[in-house]
Amino acid sequence: MELSRAVAALLLACSAWLGCVQAVTLEVKEGNSTCIKAELSASFSITYDTISGTGTAQFTLPDSAAVDTGSSSCGTDESLSWLVAVFGPGHALGLSFSSNASLYSVANLTLQYNLSDSTIFPGANSSGVVTVVSASVGISAPINSTYRCVSPVAVRVGGATVTFSGMRMEAFMPGNDLSTKESVCSADTTTTTAPPTTAAASTTTAPAPTPAGTPDHGTYFVKNSNGTDCLLAQFGLQFNISYFSKSQNKTVQDLVNLTPSQTNASGSCEASRATLVLTEERDTTLSFTFTLNSTTNKYHLSGLSLLAIWPDMTDQFSASNTSLEYLRSSMGRSYMCKAEQTLIVAPTLSLNTFSLQVQPFGVITDQFATAEECQMDQDQMLIPIIVGAALAGLVLIVLIAYLIGRKRSHAGYQTI
Ligand SMILES: *[C@@H]1O[C@H](CO)[C@@H](O)[C@H](O)[C@H]1NC(C)=O
Ligand SMILES: *[C@@H]1O[C@H](CO)[C@@H](O)[C@H](O)[C@H]1NC(C)=O
Ligand SMILES: *[C@@H]1O[C@H](CO)[C@@H](O)[C@H](O)[C@H]1NC(C)=O
Ligand SMILES: *[C@@H]1O[C@H](CO)[C@@H](O)[C@H](O)[C@H]1NC(C)=O
Ligand SMILES: *[C@@H]1O[C@H](CO)[C@@H](O)[C@H](O)[C@H]1NC(C)=O
Ligand SMILES: *[C@@H]1O[C@H](CO)[C@@H](O)[C@H](O)[C@H]1NC(C)=O
Ligand SMILES: *[C@@H]1O[C@H](CO)[C@@H](O)[C@H](O)[C@H]1NC(C)=O
Ligand SMILES: *[C@@H]1O[C@H](CO)[C@@H](O)[C@H](O)[C@H]1NC(C)=O
Ligand SMILES: *[C@@H]1O[C@H](CO)[C@@H](O)[C@H](O)[C@H]1NC(C)=O
Ligand SMILES: *[C@@H]1O[C@H](CO)[C@@H](O)[C@H](O)[C@H]1NC(C)=O
Ligand SMILES: *[C@@H]1O[C@H](CO)[C@@H](O)[C@H](O)[C@H]1NC(C)=O
Ligand SMILES: *[C@@H]1O[C@H](CO)[C@@H](O)[C@H](O)[C@H]1NC(C)=O
C-alpha cells in the first residue's frame, strides 16, 4: 500500500482586499485514486496554563496545512482510514473515518498542539506536544455521498474547541472527486415550520441610540466556482448580545460592533439557498442563510447563527435561528434598508443593521440590481416630501400675501 501524493490547496481565490477567508482542500490518495477529500475552514480555541494563570489561544487552520502522508491512510478492512493535516511547528488535526454498508462517519477527531510554539501559546508554563481526542464528532453521511455543512459546527475536544465551517467532505470515495450527491447537515437545513404569511412586523426599529457608536460599513461578497460574484452584501452591523462575563462574574448585555477590516467573508450559492459566513478575528463566526421560494420568486433571510469565543466569555457563545422571515425581496432585485433595523435571532442575541443592502440571488455583472426598499426607508422618504410640500405652500402664501399687499399699497398711491 502506497500513498503517492497528498495535496493542500487554496480553494477560494478572492482578492486580498476583499478579505475572503480561505478554505483548505485536503486529499488522501492511494496510488492514483483519492479515498478522502475535504474542503473546509477550521478555527481553534485552546485554553492552556500560563505562568500567571490560564490563556486562550485562538487561531485558524492555515492554508499551508498539508496532509501528512505518513500518518494518513485509506485504511484496510480492519483499520480505520485517516486524514491527518499538519501545520506550523508540530500542530496536527486528524480525522478518522469508519464505515458500514450504508454509512460512513468520523469515528474520532484528534488535535495535537505544540505548547512550545510561543507565537500561538505565549507564556505557556509547559512545553511540548499535547494530544487530545474526541470520539463524539457527529459527522456522518451515506456512502457515495458528500457530507456538506456550510454552517459553523463546533466540536469540543479536551480543553479545546474546533469549529468547522464551509465543509464539504467525503471518505471511502467511489471516484476521484467529491460525489455530486450531498448529505446536508442539520445546521444547514432550514426548518421552515410554516411561518405565518403576514410579512408585516418582520422587522422592528431599535428604540434607543447605540452607546457603542454606529458600526463601520463593510462590503462582503461570495463568489461561485466561476469566480463571479453570486452574493453581494454591504452593511454596518452590531451585536446585541447577552453572555456570562468572566471579568464581571455575571451575565451582561453588551453591544459590540463588527469590524469590517478584521472580517473575512465566505459562503456558498445554490439555486434556492445562499449562505454568507463572516469570520472576525478568529473568534466570531456569523452566518446568514437566504432562501429563495421558486414558486413566488421571493427570497428572504431565513437563518442566522453566531458562534463567538470572546476573551471575556467563560464558554463559547452560540445562538441560531433557522425560521426567520427577514429582508424580504424579489428575485432579480436587491434588498435595501438605510434605516437601522433589528434582527432578533434568539433571546440572547439580536443584530442591529445600518445602511444595509444585500442581494443573495440573481447577481449579474457583480453589481446590485434595483433595490426594493424597506418600509422604514419609504416612510422616511415621505418626511422630506411632506416638509418640501409644506415649505412650498408657505412660500406661495407669503408670495400671494405680498402681491396682494403690493397691489393695495399701489392702489393707495394712485388715489393720492
Ligand atoms: C497513475 O497514473 C499515471 C498517469 O496517468 C500512470 O502512468 C500510472 O500507471 C498510474 N498508476 C497507478 C498505480 O495506477
Ligand atoms: C514545537 O515547537 C518548537 C518551537 O517552535 C519546535 O522547536 C519543536 O520542534 C516543535 N515540536 C515538534 C514536535 O514539532
Ligand atoms: C450503520 O451504522 C449506523 C449507525 O452507526 C446504523 O444506524 C446502521 O443501521 C448501520 N447499517 C448497517 C447496514 O449496519
Ligand atoms: C502549569 O500550571 C498549572 C496550573 O497553574 C499547574 O497545575 C502545572 O503543574 C504547571 N505546569 C508546570 C510544568 O509548571
Ligand atoms: C480514536 O481512533 C483510534 C484509531 O482507531 C483509536 O485507537 C482510539 O482509541 C480512538 N479514540 C477514541 C477516544 O475513541
Ligand atoms: C458506491 O459506488 C460504487 C461505485 O460507483 C458502487 O460499486 C457501490 O455499490 C456504491 N455503494 C453504495 C452503498 O451505494
Ligand atoms: C458560471 O457563470 C454562468 C454565467 O456567467 C452561469 O450561468 C453558471 O451557472 C455559472 N456556473 C456556476 C457553477 O456557478
Ligand atoms: C439590546 O437587547 C436588549 C434585550 O433584548 C434590549 O432591551 C435593548 O434595547 C437592546 N439594545 C439595542 C441598542 O438594540
Ligand atoms: C462569582 O459569583 C458567585 C456568586 O454570585 C460566587 O459564588 C463566586 O465566588 C464568584 N466568582 C468569582 C471568581 O468572583
Ligand atoms: C482574512 O484573510 C486574509 C488573507 O487570506 C488573512 O491574512 C487574514 O488573517 C484573515 N483575517 C481573519 C480575521 O481571519
Ligand atoms: C413558496 O410560497 C408559496 C406561497 O406563499 C408557499 O405555498 C410555498 O410553500 C412556498 N414554498 C417553499 C418551498 O417555501
Ligand atoms: C426564531 O425566530 C422566530 C421569529 O423571530 C421566533 O418566533 C422564534 O422563537 C425564534 N426561535 C428561537 C429558537 O429563538
Side-chain angles (χ1 to χ4, degrees), residues 206-208 210 240 253 255 350 352:
T210 57
N240 185 351
Q253 183 82 35
L255 286 175
S350 61
N352 297 328

Side-chain angles (χ1 to χ4, degrees), residues 109-276:
L109 179 150
T110 306
L111 176 63
Q112 179 184 304
Y113 53 93
N114 183 356
L115 289 172
S116 312
D117 180 355
S118 56
T119 58
I120 290 183
F121 302 101
N125 77 345
S126 56
S127 57
V129 172
V130 176
T131 304
V132 283
V133 184
S134 166
S136 54
V137 182
I139 294 176
S140 73
I143 294 277
N144 294 356
S145 73
T146 298
Y147 174 83
R148 191 200 77 178
C149 205
V150 177
S151 311
V153 171
V155 177
R156 272 212 95 88
V157 42
T161 304
V162 182
T163 307
F164 293 106
S165 62
M167 175 148 64
R168 273 164 49 81
M169 178 166 77
E170 185 173 7
F172 309 103
M173 293 163 68
N176 279 343
D177 221 327
L178 292 173
S179 297
T180 47
K181 209 176 128 220
E182 286 187 336
S183 167
V184 177
C185 68
S186 57
D188 275 5
T189 50
T190 326
T191 50
T192 25
T193 44
T197 42
T198 44
S202 62
T203 53
T204 48
T205 17
T210 57
T214 309
D216 289 340
H217 202 243
T219 302
Y220 312 100
F221 347 150
V222 177
K223 289 179 184 290
N224 63 18
S225 47
N226 280 354
T228 54
D229 292 338
C230 58
L231 183 154
L232 308 175
Q234 55 179 46
F235 46 74
L237 191 137
Q238 186 174 62
F239 300 102
N240 185 351
I241 183 170
S242 122
Y243 63 91
F244 193 86
S245 159
K246 215 187 284 182
S247 60
Q248 298 179 44
N249 193 23
K250 62 168 191 191
T251 302
V252 293
Q253 183 82 35
D254 209 355
L255 286 175
V256 178
N257 290 343
L258 182 76
T259 313
S261 59
Q262 291 165 359
T263 302
N264 281 344
S266 61
S268 67
C269 298
E270 287 158 48
S272 61
R273 246 179 97 80
T275 312
L276 169 68

